[in-house]
Amino acid sequence: MVSLLAKVASADAESIAHAARILRQGGLVAFPTETVYGLGADATNGRAVAGIFAAKGRPRFNPLIVHVRDLAEAERHAEFTDAARDLAARFWPGALTLVLPRATTPLSDLVSAGLSTVALRVPAHPVAQRLLQEAAVPIAAPSANPSGKVSATTAVHVAEGLQDKVDFILDGGATILGLESTVIGFDGDRPALLRPGAITREDIEAVAGSLRKAGPAIQSPGQLDSHYAPSASLRLNVSEPEPDEALLGFGPSQNAALNLSPAGNLKEAAANLFAMLRQLDRNAPRIAVMPIPERGLGEAINDRLRRAAAARA
Ligand code: TXA
Ligand code: MG
């Protein structure tokens, strides 16, 4: 317990400066972003980046998102097109990740896992921003959970999954959005949705025009079926739970064990999703989830739920 506490610090100027030093020395730091917690390493240090794959048990073929301070820094690492620049201008800093051809860059090849592209994001969370400023290196950071498990939206979740594997955890409270960033790739100048996320398809399409499904020209190795897997089994689109199922509600419900949003608000549901899955997983062998509409943030919520359920199939 003592060693765990020594690793977690409430995010303030001093702890962020400490975290930045650890990053520059090649260590692993978990930190809050507006989406989920990230497990960060200096993206220019191949040994440090290799440490991320080892800590998460992440397959080497699954590339990492590199976090940078702003668009100008992002343009040093990747070849931007006008379409990419328009999206960055509208949504950065924020929950958008752009996958673009690598430029000649000091980024470790490992962040791209053998692909010719790199995923870039400028996070909006003040702690993430400050950490990027202080560390003065790009930070490679996947979600701070063991590979295939539910993402972490609090520092306690990070510690539960990775306490022995990480050098330091910055605690910035519960993340506001609760779902990972939306990942957009390009086929030439035409954007494709590689992963639905905290920015809705509708909002992206308002800037970029209609999004295509990722074709074979664009690889997204992270979209494996089994992901976000709780230990409990998961059944979706359930209105009437069986007696041994704990019901995760959405909208009005008499018999929900927990409710993502009694008012049926998708933003609230997204923010609660991973924490409530973890909580039910601790107490029930079987989880049933009420139907969630596919519009807006529902697309990303249902994507995570389908992957969590697929792990059981
Ligand atoms: O909100 C988020 O995106 C969080 C926070 C920490 O920024 N990060 C996150 O990272 O969710 P991760 O590693 O759990 O998910 C990154 C996704 C994976 O599906 C990965 O395959 C995809 O982005 N990705 C990364 N680089 C890629 C590339 N070069 N080409 C295609 N997909 C890529
Ligand atoms: Mg992840």
Side-chain angles (χ1 to χ4, degrees):
M1 211 50 201
V2 171
S3 67
L4 168 58
L5 289 175
K7 278 188 185 176
V8 184
S10 171
D12 58 20
E14 195 186 334
S15 60
I16 294 173
H18 181 61
R21 275 194 300 277
I22 293 174
L23 286 174
R24 281 198 303 269
Q25 290 162 8
L28 297 185
V29 170
F31 63 98
T33 82
E34 69 275 29
T35 58
V36 298
Y37 274 71
L39 176 64
D42 175 355
T44 65
N45 179 335
R47 286 176 69 122
V49 174
I52 292 179
F53 286 90
K56 283 186 57 111
R58 184 178 179 104
R60 287 294 181 126
F61 58 79
N62 193 1
L64 306 177
I65 297 173
V66 176
H67 299 70
V68 293
R69 285 173 286 203
D70 51 30
L71 174 58
E73 186 179 354
E75 295 214 34
R76 293 207 286 272
H77 301 300
E79 311 285 356
F80 273 70
T81 57
D82 287 344
R85 229 172 259 120
D86 287 347
L87 282 169
R90 169 68 182 81
F91 295 110
W92 282 354
L96 172 72
T97 294
L98 295 175
V99 173
L100 294 163
R102 282 173 70 109
T104 304
T105 159
L107 295 178
S108 162
D109 285 338
L110 283 180
V111 301
S112 298
L115 300 175
S116 58
T117 52
V118 62
L120 293 163
R121 175 159 105 84
V122 176
H125 196 292
V127 173
Q129 278 280 346
R130 176 104 189 220
L131 183 63
L132 283 163
Q133 297 290 348
E134 296 252 336
V137 292
I139 301 175
S143 52
N145 52 280
S147 184
K149 297 297 182 189
V150 177
S151 298
T153 54
T154 69
V156 169
H157 296 164
V158 177
E160 280 170 4
L162 297 170
Q163 55 179 314
D164 304 332
K165 313 265 169 69
V166 55
D167 295 304
F168 195 53
I169 301 172
L170 280 172
D171 184 352
T175 62
I176 288 172
L177 300 176
L179 281 179
E180 299 87 345
S181 62
T182 303
V183 181
I184 301 288
F186 295 88
D187 187 350
D189 218 20
R190 298 159 80 167
L193 183 63
L194 301 191
R195 178 179 72 180
I199 296 178
T200 64
R201 168 194 291 276
E202 292 87 335
D203 283 350
I204 303 234
E205 290 187 335
V207 174
S210 79
L211 288 171
R212 22 179 57 204
K213 277 211 152 200
I218 314 170
Q219 297 181 55
S220 51
Q223 297 306 80
L224 308 166
D225 269 343
S226 164
H227 221 87
Y228 308 96
S231 310
S233 71
L234 204 69
R235 203 157 66 87
L236 306 184
N237 295 314
V238 175
S239 304
E240 293 297 325
E242 286 167 16
D244 63 338
E245 284 178 330
L247 185 66
L248 183 57
F250 178 81
S253 166
Q254 299 294 335
N255 43 10
L258 290 175
N259 201 319
L260 291 168
S261 173
N265 179 317
L266 289 165
K267 206 169 167 194
E268 182 183 25
N272 285 329
L273 178 66
F274 291 140
M276 287 188 174
L277 277 179
R278 279 170 187 266
Q279 204 176 325
L280 289 181
D281 198 24
R282 272 196 290 274
N283 301 310
R286 301 179 65 206
I287 302 170
V289 189
M290 285 175 67
I292 294 167
E294 192 66 26
R295 69 186 149 77
L297 286 173
E299 184 177 11
I301 294 171
N302 283 318
D303 169 78
R304 305 305 187 268
L305 286 170
R306 277 192 291 269
R307 289 174 201 289
R312 310 288 109 199

